[in-house]
Amino acid sequence: MNYLEEKILTDGKIINEDILKVDSFLNHQIDPKTIRETAKLIVSRFPKADKVLTIETSGIVIAYAVSELMGDIPVVFAKKSKSAINDGSNVYTAEIKSFTRNTVSTVTVDRRFISEGENILIVDDFLAEGNAALGLIDIVKQGKGNVIGMSAAIEKFFQGGHEKIEAMGIPVYCPASIKGFKDKKVIF
Ligand code: 5GP
């Protein structure tokens, strides 16, 4: 069992049959050791990329740790809120349904930060149905970049995202892969 899996067992809370709460080490309070150990596993599977792409907020800390291990490559995060600084013409956009809030939001990445032919690793905190990852993949395609892989720290395999993304020919690796929740316990 890796460090993240142990942390999930000791500190994670199952909210219902769909959602795991990890706000004591990932989504609210952050435990640097968990982030570092998780990033090491991601980089052992995907050692090289030109850039890491994630989505605010919780993906950023993992993406940053991954980038450091890859030799300080740039990290880009898709923004969820509209900015007064741009009028929409200079950004790539995707509509993403939020798993936890059940709302759809438009996320944006400035066109300057995705270049043609760039090899991009997508990183997030969770992979559930895959909507966030699919939106980010779409944004990379709009910028004519290559998605070399997708890594979320934690995946709930039973919610289908992993298979959807792999079916597109994109390798997926998540250091903590949850098969299901049984009797209020996490099953890897
Ligand atoms: P997906 O788009 O793959 O359905 O869901 C992934 C996104 O929803 C992640 O960016 C994450 O923020 C959120 N998410 C999905 N499942 C969970 C969960 O069980 N717990 C938490 N804290 N966030 C989740």
Side-chain angles (χ1 to χ4, degrees):
M1 195 168 291
N2 65 46
Y3 194 84
L4 174 63
E5 289 170 324
E6 278 173 15
K7 197 79 179 164
I8 290 168
L9 291 188
T10 54
D11 296 353
K13 301 263 179 295
I14 296 165
I15 297 299
N16 54 37
E17 63 271 21
D18 289 326
I19 295 185
L20 175 70
K21 192 168 178 181
V22 290
D23 64 348
S24 65
F25 59 93
L26 182 56
N27 288 141
H28 193 5
Q29 175 170 260
I30 291 168
D31 175 52
K33 183 165 181 188
T34 306
I35 304 297
R36 257 195 325 272
E37 294 302 318
T38 302
K40 277 186 206 162
L41 291 169
I42 293 174
V43 174
S44 67
R45 174 66 182 79
F46 297 113
K48 236 175 135 301
D50 297 320
K51 200 166 264 185
V52 184
L53 176 64
T54 187
I55 180 164
E56 63 182 0
T57 307
S58 298
I60 296 173
V61 68
I62 303 161
Y64 181 89
V66 166
S67 137
E68 269 198 315
L69 292 172
M70 285 182 166
D72 294 335
I73 63 171
V75 177
V76 179
F77 60 94
K79 296 190 168 211
K80 288 178 181 163
S81 54
K82 283 214 170 77
S83 161
I85 298 170
N86 68 60
D87 61 4
S89 62
N90 57 333
V91 292
Y92 299 121
T93 64
E95 300 289 312
I96 294 181
K97 176 178 157 270
S98 161
F99 186 88
T100 45
R101 293 195 178 85
N102 217 5
T103 52
V104 176
S105 58
T106 305
V107 307
T108 60
V109 172
D110 193 299
R111 289 171 187 248
R112 288 176 298 142
F113 302 136
I114 310 261
S115 305
E116 186 167 350
E118 220 162 33
N119 292 318
I120 296 176
L121 177 67
I122 293 176
V123 168
D124 203 358
D125 57 345
F126 272 91
L127 174 61
E129 293 174 343
N131 296 310
L134 291 173
L136 295 177
I137 291 166
D138 189 49
I139 282 176
V140 173
K141 283 190 176 156
Q142 292 173 46
K144 299 190 169 62
N146 307 316
V147 179
I148 60 145
M150 196 277 154
S151 254
I154 305 169
E155 71 173 350
K156 289 171 291 171
F157 191 85
F158 57 98
Q159 288 168 346
H162 185 125
E163 283 164 328
K164 250 184 243 168
I165 295 159
E166 236 167 34
M168 300 170 79
I170 296 169
V172 179
Y173 168 65
C174 303
S177 180
I178 297 174
K179 279 211 191 85
F181 301 136
K182 200 169 173 231
D183 304 329
K184 290 262 166 195
K185 288 207 173 68
V186 174
I187 313 293
F188 293 114

